[in-house]
RNA sequence: GGCGCUGUAGCUCAAUUGGUUAGAGCACUGGACUGUCGAUCCAGAGGUUGCGGGUUCGAGCCCCGUCAGCGUCGCCA
């Protein structure tokens, strides 16, 4: 080792020791006679002093050539700082290293990204991604990656203690056209054939259950070639779990324990178990979304029965057309949002397909201030206000449309006002389950039924018979874990009954030949003694993002990609040689 | 694919209604300084205003296109 200690561990107990530190120059202060260097590594900062008489003139001369991000090896004596010179901002602030020897291990160009920059001087993200090695030197980012290491290790330990086995599954697999777009890998040996990178190890883990590995876990990289968002990357990490001889409660119970352990260890939060559960139907009715943020209220209230009693044409027309009039009551929203602010909300909902935004401000005298108040009788307004629970100063926001559209708009509004008005404690961490998702959803374009989760999802036992009569009413043994309104994981109990499986395929319009071609291996395996089984996958990146209270998933991934899925550091994806294409029998068009 | 925001010195930003030679802080270079801690002080250097076109007597600013980054809708079983 070139060093005897790290830059974060020396203290008063080491005074008098001769030590050697290695690290990067975080900053330097040249005083003419002597020079101070704050030396940084991932453990901390230590002040190094190059000052006579401790430091020889030649060493001082060399020290004056150091610049930001030079890599130094410094030997010296640990000394208590002079009276009144301690720096309370540093954990090592009571001591300093009086240098006797200096070796410049490496120089650095002037860094375009300063690891010690404060938030307001932080360079643009494109530059940080291009010089990611500099960005990753920032203590904030190091803290996150170190936390990530701890959390993932905590996950692995937790499952290992409960007899789960970590089994690796292939990255080169078979494309299944359902779901997200696949990343494809051309085969050199089989011209015209392609592997697909896994969107998740779903089918493999089911095979492992059939193979008798009744408790499986894997930290698995997954790939989806879809457009990106602040919380989505083209490759991401799932904590993938599958268990045999279980029902929904067993899987959720295991994850409850994991959540409690990690929340306590990382956040110091005691979760009450079992974690709260609401059904999908209830989530949609009360919050308009299948991953509601339960940190605050402002729940959706259905006013479809009252609204048409007004003279407001829009409301009447929507309800007569089979639509809904629903609203949220925003506490103190009338004080928070000016008319101009409400105009902003109106523009906002137009982005979600709404034609406009009807609203009421509740005044102190019990009256309602609104451009549409004149269409409502005082009695009707009072009835609506009562149902909404409105208090003076509140703001009521309406959505009148088909049920799905009101969900979308009101969820978007609720989320936006919740964030803007800080309706919740930013430190709060709310875990909950959303259960009993629909088995099927009608595809708008084709009119065909599509699996809401995947075609192997088991229905609730009491809903099996609905397969023949009313598939839209069927609910699944499916459960999503929601943290602060963010989908942090999801899973299902799988179908292990071949008769039910066939009926599901039939409903989805997947004929026997297609079944065999796409999932033949699984359908075969299911006929050789498949145990009842189910599992879940947790979004590791999102957990880290939430635990670290980060705004972007890119801030918890060492080498993330941009919105267009490029890596600005390596310039991936890149062009390849004609030779490589020839091997693969691929010709570029245009 | 749609909508929106951003792009000015190495970095973070400013530049009045379209108007003289595009400024500041940090970083950088040279100098001063025996205790600083984002050191301080003096001096200096540093610009194809992302790129291409247009309007105008005149464009960093207006218009069109394009590239890149970000946010978002669609998309993500």
């Amino acid at each position: 080792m070139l060093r005897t200690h790290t830059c974060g561990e020396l203290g008063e107990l080491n005074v008098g020791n001769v030590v050697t530190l290695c690290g990067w120059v975080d900053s330097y202060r040249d005083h003419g006679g002597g020079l101070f260097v704050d030396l940084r590594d991932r453990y901390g900062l230590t002040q190094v002093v190059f000052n006579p008489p401790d430091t020889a003139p030649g060493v001082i001369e060399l020290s004056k050539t150091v610049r930001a991000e030079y890599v130094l090896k410094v030997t010296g004596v640990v000394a208590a700082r002079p009276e009144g010179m301690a720096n309370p901002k540093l954990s090592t602030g009571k001591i300093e290293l009086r240098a006797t020897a200096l070796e410049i291990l490496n120089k650095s160009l002037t860094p375009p990204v300063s690891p010690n920059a404060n938030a307001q001087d932080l360079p643009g993200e494109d530059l940080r991604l291009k010089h990611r090695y500099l960005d990753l030197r920032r203590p904030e980012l190091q803290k996150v990656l170190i936390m990530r290491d701890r959390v993932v290790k905590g996950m692995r330990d937790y499952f290992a203690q409960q007899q789960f086995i970590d089994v690796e599954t292939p990255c080169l697999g078979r494309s299944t056209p359902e779901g997200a777009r696949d990343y494809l890998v051309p085969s050199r040996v089989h011209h015209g054939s392609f592997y697909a990178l896994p969107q998740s190890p779903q089918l493999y883990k089911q095979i492992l259950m059939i193979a008798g590995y009744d408790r499986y876990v894997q930290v698995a990289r997954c790939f989806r070639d879809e457009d990106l968002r602040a919380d989505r990357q083209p490759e991401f990490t799932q904590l993938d779990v599958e268990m045999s001889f279980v029902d929904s409660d067993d899987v959720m119970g295991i994850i409850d324990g994991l959540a409690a352990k990690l929340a306590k260890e990382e956040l110091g939060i005691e979760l009450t178990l079992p974690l709260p559960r609401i059904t999908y139907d209830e989530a949609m009715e009360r919050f308009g979304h299948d991953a509601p943020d339960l940190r605050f209220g402002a729940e959706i209230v259905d006013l479809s029965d009252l609204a048409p009693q007004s003279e407001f044409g829009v409301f009447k027309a929507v309800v007569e057309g089979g639509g809904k009039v629903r609203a949220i009551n925003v506490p103190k929203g009338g004080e928070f949002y000016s008319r101009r602010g409400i105009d902003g909300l109106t523009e906002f909902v137009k982005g979600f397909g709404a034609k406009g935004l009807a609203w009421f401000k509740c005044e102190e005298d019990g009256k309602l201030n609104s451009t549409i108040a004149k269409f409502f009788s005082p009695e009707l307004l009072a009835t609506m206000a009562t149902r909404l629970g409105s208090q003076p100063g509140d703001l009521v926001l309406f959505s009148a449309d088909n049920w799905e559209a009101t969900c979308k708009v009101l969820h978007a509004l609720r989320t936006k006002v919740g964030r803007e008005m800080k309706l919740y404690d930013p430190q709060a961490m709310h875990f909950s389950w959303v259960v009993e998702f629909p088995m099927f959803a009608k595809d708008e374009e084709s009119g065909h039924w599509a699996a809401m989760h995947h075609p192997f999802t088991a229905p609730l036992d009491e809903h099996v018979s609905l397969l023949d009569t009313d598939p839209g009413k069927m609910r699944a043994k499916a459960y999503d874990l929601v943290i602060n309104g963010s989908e942090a994981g999801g899973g299902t109990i799988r179908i292990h009954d071949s008769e039910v499986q066939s009926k599901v395929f039939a409903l989805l319009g997947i004929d026997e030949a297609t079944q065999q071609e796409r999932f033949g291996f699984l359908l075969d395996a299911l006929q050789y003694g498949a145990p009842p089984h189910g599992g879940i996958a947790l979004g590791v990146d999102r957990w880290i993002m939430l635990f670290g209270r980060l705004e972007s998933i890119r801030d918890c991934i060492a080498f993330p990609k941009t919105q267009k899925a490029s890596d600005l550091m390596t310039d991936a994806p890149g062009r390849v040689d004609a030779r490589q294409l020839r091997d693969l029998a691929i010709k570029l068009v245009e």
Side-chain angles (χ1 to χ4, degrees):
Chain A
M1 291 287 285
L2 298 185
R3 63 185 178 194
T4 61
H5 295 76
T6 69
C7 296
E9 66 178 305
L10 294 174
E12 288 172 297
L13 292 175
N14 303 96
V15 167
N17 295 0
V18 175
V19 303
T20 301
L21 298 182
C22 292
W24 287 263
V25 175
D26 194 69
S27 66
Y28 61 95
R29 297 173 287 280
D30 187 347
H31 282 256
L35 176 119
F36 299 86
V37 169
D38 287 341
L39 203 62
R40 184 194 66 240
D41 62 18
R42 77 172 165 96
Y43 305 94
L45 282 182
T46 300
Q47 172 164 281
V48 180
V49 188
F50 298 89
N51 218 9
D54 305 276
T55 314
V59 175
I60 291 181
E61 200 178 328
L62 180 61
S63 76
K64 289 188 185 279
T65 66
V66 307
R67 293 293 180 271
E69 301 309 310
Y70 276 30
V71 189
L72 307 185
K73 175 186 168 191
V74 185
T75 301
V77 183
V78 179
R81 294 201 188 184
E83 194 66 31
M85 296 295 171
N87 184 348
K89 284 190 271 185
L90 294 182
S91 64
T92 61
K94 288 184 175 166
I95 58 97
E96 62 194 13
L97 181 62
R98 304 227 168 118
T100 53
L102 167 66
E103 186 180 343
I104 296 177
L105 296 173
N106 217 336
K107 297 185 173 191
S108 169
L109 298 173
T110 301
V113 175
S114 289
N116 65 2
N118 56 24
Q120 75 187 34
D121 292 330
L122 200 62
E125 192 168 6
D126 45 352
L127 205 66
R128 290 170 44 209
L129 291 175
K130 180 175 167 63
H131 301 279
R132 191 61 166 173
Y133 36 87
L134 295 176
D135 200 30
L136 286 168
R137 283 182 199 164
R138 288 167 48 227
E140 294 85 351
L141 220 34
Q142 295 194 335
K143 222 172 105 187
V144 171
L145 291 184
I146 290 165
M147 187 260 283
R148 181 177 179 130
D149 169 66
R150 269 199 316 270
V151 168
V152 172
K153 188 167 181 295
M155 289 173 166
R156 287 198 159 112
D157 289 347
Y158 177 82
F159 286 101
Q161 279 165 14
Q162 305 193 51
Q163 280 69 53
F164 282 76
I165 300 171
D166 187 327
V167 181
E168 294 182 73
T169 54
C171 275
L172 296 175
R174 194 196 155 79
S175 175
T176 50
E178 293 85 6
R181 201 175 287 112
D182 282 321
Y183 274 101
L184 297 177
V185 180
S187 164
R188 176 183 58 83
V189 182
H190 305 277
H191 285 175
S193 287
F194 296 82
Y195 301 98
L197 302 181
Q199 295 179 27
S200 80
Q202 182 60 41
L203 300 185
Y204 291 111
K205 68 176 176 178
Q206 290 191 239
I207 297 280
L208 285 170
M209 292 306 106
I210 298 169
Y213 296 77
D214 65 332
R215 292 189 153 208
Y216 145 93
V217 68
Q218 183 183 192
V219 178
R221 190 65 63 87
C222 305
F223 305 85
R224 293 178 190 176
D225 189 3
E226 295 292 346
D227 287 343
L228 306 181
R229 290 289 185 283
D231 62 353
R232 271 196 245 157
Q233 280 278 296
E235 52 178 309
F236 59 99
T237 304
Q238 282 189 347
L239 184 87
D240 198 40
V241 175
E242 194 78 4
M243 304 166 74
S244 294
F245 312 116
V246 293
D247 214 328
S248 305
D249 286 347
D250 302 303
V251 179
M252 285 188 274
I254 288 275
I255 303 303
D256 275 1
L258 176 71
K261 170 189 147 112
L262 293 177
K264 183 174 183 180
E265 288 176 359
E266 281 304 323
L267 306 167
I269 294 175
E270 295 280 351
L271 295 184
T272 305
L273 300 186
L275 294 173
R277 299 177 190 180
I278 65 172
T279 65
Y280 170 91
D281 293 328
E282 186 182 350
M284 296 304 288
E285 199 56 44
R286 290 171 56 191
F287 304 101
H289 195 71
D290 62 2
D293 192 336
L294 299 183
R295 287 176 297 180
F296 63 102
E299 295 186 18
I300 296 174
V301 175
D302 196 321
L303 300 165
S304 305
D305 55 331
L306 299 176
Q309 298 173 25
S310 73
E311 298 304 315
F312 187 44
V314 171
F315 284 180
K316 290 173 92 80
V318 164
V319 174
E320 277 164 22
K324 298 283 180 186
V325 176
R326 301 164 83 199
I328 57 173
N329 180 68
V330 183
K332 302 293 168 211
E335 296 164 12
F336 187 86
Y337 289 102
S338 61
R339 280 299 292 270
R340 198 168 173 178
I342 293 173
D343 288 345
L345 294 177
T346 306
E347 282 310 303
F348 175 75
V349 297
K350 283 180 180 172
F352 292 85
K355 291 177 193 70
L357 177 65
W359 54 271
F360 286 145
K361 274 187 181 182
C362 307
E363 304 288 340
E364 286 299 336
D365 55 9
K367 288 189 177 152
L368 294 176
N369 170 4
S370 170
T371 49
I372 59 167
K374 61 190 173 202
F375 298 114
F376 294 78
S377 70
E379 296 75 25
L380 185 54
L381 287 177
T383 310
M384 289 169 60
T386 303
R387 188 182 293 179
L388 286 156
S390 302
Q391 301 294 318
D394 291 357
L395 174 67
V396 178
L397 301 170
F398 290 88
S399 174
D401 210 323
N402 63 61
W403 187 79
E404 289 79 9
T406 60
C407 283
K408 195 160 76 171
V409 166
L410 291 174
H411 167 254
L413 275 174
R414 180 175 175 271
T415 307
K416 184 182 172 72
V417 301
R419 188 178 57 246
E420 289 181 352
M421 292 182 63
K422 301 187 173 61
L423 293 179
Y424 48 82
D425 172 5
Q427 294 301 308
M429 199 64 76
H430 193 283
F431 290 70
S432 63
W433 291 101
V434 175
V435 301
E436 298 177 14
F437 279 66
M439 283 285 287
F440 309 105
K442 264 259 170 64
D443 184 64
E444 292 293 325
E445 290 170 23
S446 63
H448 293 139
W449 290 108
M452 192 123 163
H453 199 79
H454 63 66
F456 308 106
T457 300
L460 295 177
D461 296 332
E462 62 272 29
H463 283 194
V464 174
S465 57
L466 291 172
L467 256 176
D468 304 311
T469 55
D470 193 354
K473 280 222 168 65
M474 284 182 85
R475 292 298 179 261
K477 291 182 178 178
Y479 31 84
D480 273 11
L481 181 68
V482 177
I483 308 177
N484 291 357
S486 187
E487 182 190 335
T492 64
I493 299 299
R494 330 296 180 188
I495 299 173
H496 64 281
D497 179 320
S498 59
E499 199 177 318
V500 174
Q501 186 67 69
S502 306
K503 283 189 171 181
V504 168
F505 277 132
L507 185 76
L508 295 173
I510 304 175
D511 61 40
E512 197 117 347
T514 313
Q515 293 171 27
Q516 278 306 319
E517 192 195 333
R518 291 181 190 168
F519 316 113
F521 64 97
L522 180 66
L523 299 176
D524 287 349
L526 285 170
Q527 298 180 63
Y528 290 95
H533 62 285
I536 191 167
L538 306 179
V540 171
D541 311 279
R542 283 195 190 163
W543 275 61
I544 305 302
M545 191 177 158
L546 290 160
F547 275 36
R549 274 124 183 153
L550 305 170
E551 305 235 320
S552 161
I553 199 170
R554 296 181 297 278
D555 289 336
C556 66
I557 294 174
F559 301 103
K561 291 184 174 54
T562 67
Q563 202 171 66
K564 288 193 169 173
S566 4
D567 178 337
L568 296 182
M569 188 177 71
T570 64
D571 251 345
R575 295 193 165 271
V576 297
D577 300 342
R579 166 82 190 265
Q580 289 172 286
L581 290 178
R582 210 158 47 232
D583 282 349
L584 298 167
I586 288 178
K587 195 179 262 177
L588 298 180
V589 293
E590 182 221 25

